[in-house]
Amino acid sequence: MKQYGHHKSLLAICLLFATSPSWGVNFDTSLLAGDSAKSDLTRFYEDQNMPAGIQEMDIYVNDDWKGRYPFTFTGDDKKIYLEQKEAMLLGVSLPKLDTEQYDYSLEQIVQGGSYSVDVSTLSIKLSVPQSFVLRTQVGYVPPEFWDSGVPAMIFSYNTTYYKTKNKNGAKLSSDDFYSGLESGLNIGSWQFRDNSTVRKYSGEQLKWQNNTRYIRKSLPMQKSNLLVGDFYTQGNLFDSMRIRGVSLASDINMRPSSQQGFAPIVRGVAQTNALIKVLQNGSVIYQESVPPGQFTLDNIQPTGSAGDLLVIVQEANGQEQSFTVPFSAVPGMLKEGVSNYALFAGKVNQDGGNYTPSFVQGTFEYGFNNLITGYIGTIASENYRAYLVGSGWNLPIGAVSVDITHADTQLLNDSQHGQSMRVSYSKFLDTTATNFTLAAYRYSTKGYYSFNDSIHAHDGYRSYQESIDLYKKNQKNNQETPAVDLNTWDSMRGARPKNTFTINLNQRLPESWGTFYVSGSQRDYWATIPATREYQLGYANSYAQMSYSLSASRVRDGQGKEENRYYLSLSLPMSLFDNNIWVSSGFTATDSGYQQSTLSLSGTALEANRLNYAFSGSNQQNGQNMASANVTYRANISTLGASLSESNDYRQTGLSARGSLVAIPWNVLMSNEVGSTMTIVKAPKAEGLMINGDQSIVTNSEGLALVPYATPYRKNAITVTNTEETQGAEVIGNIANSAPLEGAVSVVNFKTDTRKNWVSRALFFDNKALPFGSEILSIDGESIGYVGQSSVLYLKAENFPKKVVVQLANGSCTINELTENLDSSPAICQ
């Protein structure tokens, strides 16, 4: 095999010289020694056209690279074709094809422009008139070419197990098991999805809870989605809530926009191996175990676009702290003539509620011009009416929206009427590098109830009425029963906010002065409830290779007591056995003084950085010491994690796993990440190919691999690369594209050459060697190999060819009885 490799290298060098642009148009075969000058090397001449067949080529449109696509060459420069689905990805407005035509020719694509084929670089350059170039966002694909994928069943999981055990006293232990599960079925453009959680606390039964369960139908041409089932309403104008019903609404992700909406980033500090729970509207939407120190959660997907996030940090010793991350989206500015709409009809289906009124809700947004966007909305229910009108302004000082909502609420023997006014602001100031992600102020009158408020109020009354009925039933004497007190059963009367202010700001300071951020909210209420204030302040910078940060936040402990917490961290990168490691230290203090100092070592190891680890030790208040370890390993089929911490008072252990599973006809595939829109790579019989440079995603023995991520409605480039474990068929081309619908499981096909390699030997009838470099053809005229040194034949075919033709400079010769063994007598070419 080594000799075979040397022959291939020598031939490649010769052919490189033969086609180098610095040489003449034709290769002078007299430069070859001996009978090699008789070789027919015209197929390697520079001015030679691409041979007929399919060839992967890089394509450029007005010098902008668009990817690599398979072109069909016919031997005629004027008849080069590209499949319709591939041509639509070039960003060119194309003419309609004839009924019986399925491929575009290059002449049809350039539409009066020009094109050139560069054989030496395997590239095609198109010059297309600007009037035919689509003015869309980079990577955007027109809706008519979105891929609905193949029939598939999907299952994703994110599971954590967290246990603590006290060493003192009764030596009590507590367990917390959580698993976020998403399952679904795809048939064409119809999708079924079920998002549920399984939880178990110490001393409680295993509890399953469904979050959403619905059928979705994408409507690409309308840039909308149809939903039927249990899901959350949009919350950009009204509060988001869980309903059981039907929805027809625009999907902003289907539009060619670089802004896909606002999602909050959760930052905080953990003192131990802590369990982080993120709740929205009372439901846990995310949970993760983190090592000691600062943490950042930037992959949280809220259930709606409004509703503050409550973050609970459960330390290994059982202590809890909490803080709120404000979250409500500014109504988006729309371009002139662009509209968004959302229609909902059904019944409220909130967790833990008994009052489930039917309702309808509608919103509409429209861009009048580049300055003004208007929006309206309404909610109509059994005992509730609300009407909203507002406008967004694209001003030089930023995007500002102002709206007012009027609500009529019918309660028991009482009617309430009120208004809520809101002003929102968002802006990135180039001159100062200030990014106001969101700044909003809302004032609500005393009689204003949101739809959620009215539902809670009715639920409160029903609960109180049930207690009254029970009290009457248990009374032996006809004693006077307590009257229904409005302030008693209407818990929302006292808890409804009067003024609310929220802000998220990121400020990049001049030169090398670092970055400053602040997020927070302040609320006061219509009753005697004290005003609440939540905030996070932070500053980060670096000096030489060392980075450092300072932060301050207001948190609540498990008893509801608020305190200010301060944190300082330092981090220094180093190298160990060619792997990156970070040495970090942290210091935590509160209003009451010193809390904890920590020293940690973290890094990556193994091939492709599959292993992430963090080891730390800390000194805590009152002289307590703690040591901890946290590791995560990315296997091919799942990402596994473990944590352990030990102190004088407790021991904590934890386990985690996440991944996805997809079943398509006759195959089941797994990946190590949670995915919703996924891609299956199909390269028949090519085993061990690495996908997108990720060594944890490789093709199996059938040439299949599951990529758990894809951007819906955009062009996704998938690349394959050989590894040391690559075997089987040879892949033809290394890049392909897909543009899937959201939630689709797309299949990207790579062509492979499944032919086997064969080696033989042949001579002329006078025992002279065949010319080096001569092309070998099958009896059907297909090129299947070449002649190497010492008249050795290198062949590639499904089955060993007994009869072949050798192309010579002045004709050809035929071998009728080829042998497979080099040690056998050489065949004769005549």
Side-chain angles (χ1 to χ4, degrees):
M1 293 302 292
K2 291 184 179 181
Q3 183 182 13
Y4 175 50
H6 291 317
H7 291 333
K8 292 182 69 176
S9 300
L10 180 59
L11 179 61
I13 294 173
C14 294
L15 299 183
L16 176 63
F17 283 174
T19 58
S20 173
S22 62
W23 291 73
V25 173
N26 293 336
F27 182 79
D28 187 356
T29 55
S30 65
L31 295 175
L32 295 175
D35 289 337
S36 294
K38 299 177 182 179
S39 301
D40 179 15
L41 301 180
T42 57
R43 66 189 187 279
F44 300 116
Y45 289 171
E46 262 195 42
D47 60 351
Q48 187 75 10
N49 294 333
M50 286 292 299
I54 298 177
Q55 175 63 50
E56 295 270 348
M57 305 285 284
D58 286 305
I59 186 166
Y60 297 82
V61 176
N62 297 343
D63 295 325
D64 182 18
W65 182 73
K66 296 295 184 179
R68 174 168 289 191
Y69 300 94
F71 288 84
T72 300
F73 291 87
T74 63
D76 184 348
D77 277 347
K78 295 184 178 181
K79 295 181 179 180
I80 303 174
Y81 297 97
L82 181 63
E83 288 187 13
Q84 179 180 357
K85 65 177 183 179
E86 305 284 0
M88 294 301 181
L89 300 176
L90 299 181
V92 176
S93 178
L94 299 171
K96 290 185 178 180
L97 291 174
D98 296 335
T99 305
E100 298 180 355
Q101 188 178 356
Y102 298 98
D103 300 334
Y104 278 98
S105 68
L106 290 187
E107 285 190 342
Q108 289 175 305
I109 294 175
V110 298
Q111 302 175 81
S114 61
Y115 62 89
S116 61
V117 179
D118 190 339
V119 178
S120 63
T121 60
L122 293 180
S123 64
I124 297 177
K125 295 184 177 180
L126 308 183
S127 178
V128 181
Q130 192 64 32
S131 59
F132 295 111
V133 177
L134 297 175
R135 295 169 178 82
T136 58
Q137 179 185 338
V138 175
Y140 182 71
V141 179
E144 56 266 31
F145 302 105
W146 293 340
D147 183 10
S148 60
V150 298
M153 297 179 64
I154 68 170
F155 177 76
S156 298
Y157 60 93
N158 183 13
T159 302
T160 60
Y161 173 72
Y162 194 84
K163 180 176 182 178
T164 58
K165 183 177 182 179
N166 294 328
K167 294 182 178 179
N168 302 325
K171 298 184 178 181
L172 300 176
S173 63
S174 63
D175 299 86
D176 190 318
F177 173 82
Y178 166 89
S179 185
L181 308 174
E182 181 172 356
S183 57
L185 174 66
N186 292 357
I187 301 178
S189 58
W190 291 90
Q191 301 174 358
F192 168 77
R193 289 293 183 272
D194 181 290
N195 187 293
S196 301
T197 60
V198 178
R199 308 193 67 183
K200 186 181 185 307
Y201 299 107
S202 296
E204 297 183 2
Q205 296 293 323
L206 189 70
K207 180 181 179 181
W208 176 87
Q209 179 178 346
N210 176 256
N211 294 325
T212 59
R213 181 186 292 129
Y214 56 83
I215 295 175
R216 176 171 59 199
K217 166 69 173 176
S218 294
L219 305 172
M221 303 312 297
Q222 290 74 35
K223 294 183 173 61
S224 304
N225 287 312
L226 174 67
L227 294 181
V228 179
D230 295 337
F231 54 89
Y232 287 85
T233 63
Q234 296 179 2
N236 54 332
L237 297 182
F238 293 111
D239 289 343
S240 178
M241 65 178 60
R242 187 173 185 265
I243 72 168
R244 173 169 294 175
V246 60
S247 163
L248 180 62
S250 303
D251 186 349
I252 192 65
N253 295 319
M254 294 185 179
R255 298 188 179 278
S257 171
S258 59
Q259 299 297 325
Q260 296 300 323
F262 170 70
I265 297 176
V266 173
R267 299 182 177 94
V269 177
Q271 300 184 59
T272 63
N273 274 341
L275 186 65
I276 312 300
K277 303 176 185 178
V278 182
L279 294 82
Q280 186 182 37
N281 298 322
S283 299
V284 177
I285 62 172
Y286 190 83
Q287 183 166 307
E288 183 175 336
S289 178
V290 300
Q294 283 186 315
F295 61 84
T296 300
L297 307 179
D298 56 5
N299 58 346
I300 297 173
Q301 297 297 322
T303 56
S305 55
D308 294 346
L309 305 183
L310 175 63
V311 182
I312 298 176
V313 182
Q314 179 182 329
E315 304 289 354
N317 59 6
Q319 293 183 351
E320 289 187 355
Q321 55 174 300
S322 65
F323 58 90
T324 301
V325 177
F327 175 45
S328 58
V330 176
M333 298 298 298
L334 300 179
K335 290 185 178 180
E336 181 177 351
V338 176
S339 62
N340 282 332
Y341 69 93
L343 300 172
F344 303 94
K347 298 185 69 174
V348 174
N349 193 26
Q350 301 276 49
D351 292 331
N354 296 316
Y355 181 60
T356 59
S358 299
F359 79 104
V360 293
Q361 174 180 319
T363 60
F364 181 74
E365 305 165 75
Y366 183 78
F368 290 100
N369 50 44
N370 290 334
L371 176 64
I372 302 174
T373 295
Y375 49 93
I376 58 175
T378 184
I379 297 177
S381 183
E382 300 169 9
N383 298 300
Y384 185 83
R385 299 286 189 277
Y387 312 93
L388 178 147
V389 61
S391 178
W393 295 72
N394 186 24
L395 302 175
I397 61 172
V400 179
S401 66
V402 181
D403 59 62
I404 182 170
T405 305
H406 174 81
D408 298 321
T409 308
Q410 181 63 48
L411 302 172
L412 178 68
N413 301 323
D414 184 32
S415 295
Q416 293 291 326
H417 312 279
Q419 295 78 36
S420 180
M421 286 73 72
R422 176 177 57 175
V423 179
S424 303
Y425 174 77
S426 179
K427 175 64 175 178
F428 178 79
L429 303 176
D430 295 326
T431 54
T432 61
T434 303
N435 186 7
F436 281 97
T437 307
L438 175 67
Y441 171 77
R442 179 189 285 272
Y443 172 80
S444 300
T445 63
K446 191 171 184 178
Y448 174 78
Y449 280 68
S450 70
F451 195 24
N452 270 327
D453 292 343
S454 71
I455 292 170
H456 286 302
H458 280 282
D459 267 332
Y461 166 72
R462 288 171 179 241
S463 298
Y464 183 72
Q465 188 63 51
E466 289 175 0
S467 66
I468 293 295
D469 293 341
L470 182 61
Y471 175 78
K472 289 181 178 180
K473 183 178 179 180
N474 293 334
Q475 286 295 309
K476 295 182 179 180
N477 302 317
N478 293 327
Q479 297 179 359
E480 183 180 355
T481 59
V484 176
D485 182 359
L486 187 64
N487 288 322
T488 300
W489 61 262
D490 183 4
S491 61
M492 295 308 302
R493 179 169 295 276
R496 287 180 297 112
K498 179 179 180 181
N499 292 285
T500 303
F501 176 75
T502 61
I503 186 173
N504 281 273
L505 179 147
N506 284 275
Q507 173 68 62
R508 189 173 67 247
L509 302 177
E511 298 178 355
S512 58
W513 287 91
T515 302
F516 171 78
Y517 71 86
V518 57
S519 66
S521 65
Q522 178 169 318
R523 297 177 179 86
D524 57 8
Y525 302 88
W526 276 108
T528 57
I529 297 177
T532 61
R533 183 182 297 110
E534 305 275 356
Y535 65 80
Q536 291 183 341
L537 307 173
Y539 171 78
N541 203 352
S542 62
Y543 177 77
Q545 290 185 315
M546 181 182 70
S547 60
Y548 59 92
S549 66
L550 299 164
S551 67
S553 61
R554 177 179 288 272
V555 299
R556 290 194 298 267
D557 61 20
Q559 288 73 42
K561 180 183 177 182
E562 294 187 350
E563 67 175 1
N564 296 322
R565 189 175 294 273
Y566 310 96
Y567 185 74
L568 167 66
S569 69
L570 304 172
S571 180
L572 181 66
M574 301 177 67
S575 179
L576 179 66
F577 304 119
D578 296 326
N579 288 312
N580 294 326
I581 62 171
W582 288 265
V583 178
S584 306
S585 63
F587 175 86
T588 305
T590 65
D591 294 332
S592 58
Y594 169 79
Q595 289 291 311
Q596 177 175 295
S597 58
T598 303
L599 181 65
S600 63
L601 175 69
S602 61
T604 58
L606 305 183
E607 61 173 2
N609 296 326
R610 286 177 180 260
L611 182 69
N612 287 268
Y613 60 86
F615 304 102
S616 66
S618 66
N619 171 263
Q620 297 178 337
Q621 191 180 33
N622 301 322
Q624 294 289 333
N625 295 317
M626 185 269 294
S628 67
N630 193 297
V631 295
T632 303
Y633 178 74
R634 290 190 306 120
N636 285 7
I637 61 174
S638 183
T639 297
L640 307 174
S643 64
L644 172 66
S645 58
E646 184 100 14
S647 78
N648 298 334
D649 298 330
Y650 67 88
R651 172 180 296 169
Q652 174 272 326
T653 56
L655 298 171
S656 66
R658 66 177 184 269
S660 297
L661 181 148
V662 171
I664 59 175
W666 320 121
N667 287 283
V668 177
L669 301 170
M670 301 179 71
S671 74
N672 55 20
E673 289 294 340
V674 173
S676 57
T677 305
M678 294 180 273
T679 304
I680 293 177
V681 174
K682 187 176 183 180
K685 304 301 181 181
E687 182 179 359
L689 293 174
M690 179 173 58
I691 313 300
N692 289 348
D694 189 343
Q695 293 187 16
S696 68
I697 306 178
V698 295
T699 55
N700 60 17
S701 59
E702 296 297 321
L704 299 173
L706 176 61
V707 183
Y709 48 80
T711 304
Y713 320 121
R714 299 295 187 269
K715 181 174 68 174
N716 292 263
I718 304 294
T719 60
V720 296
T721 310
N722 288 337
T723 64
E724 294 180 355
E725 287 75 30
T726 299
Q727 59 182 344
E730 178 183 352
V731 67
I732 301 174
N734 71 331
I735 188 169
N737 300 285
S738 69
L741 291 173
E742 182 179 359
V745 178
S746 299
V747 174
V748 172
N749 291 289
F750 286 87
K751 295 182 180 179
T752 56
D753 188 348
T754 58
R755 297 179 299 174
K756 300 177 182 178
N757 293 314
W758 310 91
V759 181
S760 186
R761 193 165 181 266
L763 301 169
F764 283 119
F765 65 92
D766 56 0
N767 289 330
K768 290 186 177 180
L770 298 177
F772 170 76
S774 296
E775 185 178 17
I776 302 175
L777 306 177
S778 68
I779 57 174
D780 298 325
E782 178 187 2
S783 178
I784 60 172
Y786 62 90
V787 178
Q789 289 182 329
S790 302
S791 205
V792 175
L793 278 57
Y794 297 96
L795 308 169
K796 197 166 192 178
E798 293 286 350
N799 300 301
F800 183 78
K802 292 290 186 179
K803 184 176 182 179
V804 297
V805 177
V806 180
Q807 291 289 93
L808 305 174
N810 55 355
S812 63
C813 65
T814 301
I815 303 173
N816 291 305
E817 291 294 334
L818 201 59
T819 58
E820 298 184 36
N821 195 341
L822 282 177
D823 297 330
S824 303
S825 299
I828 302 299
C829 191
Q830 55 187 0

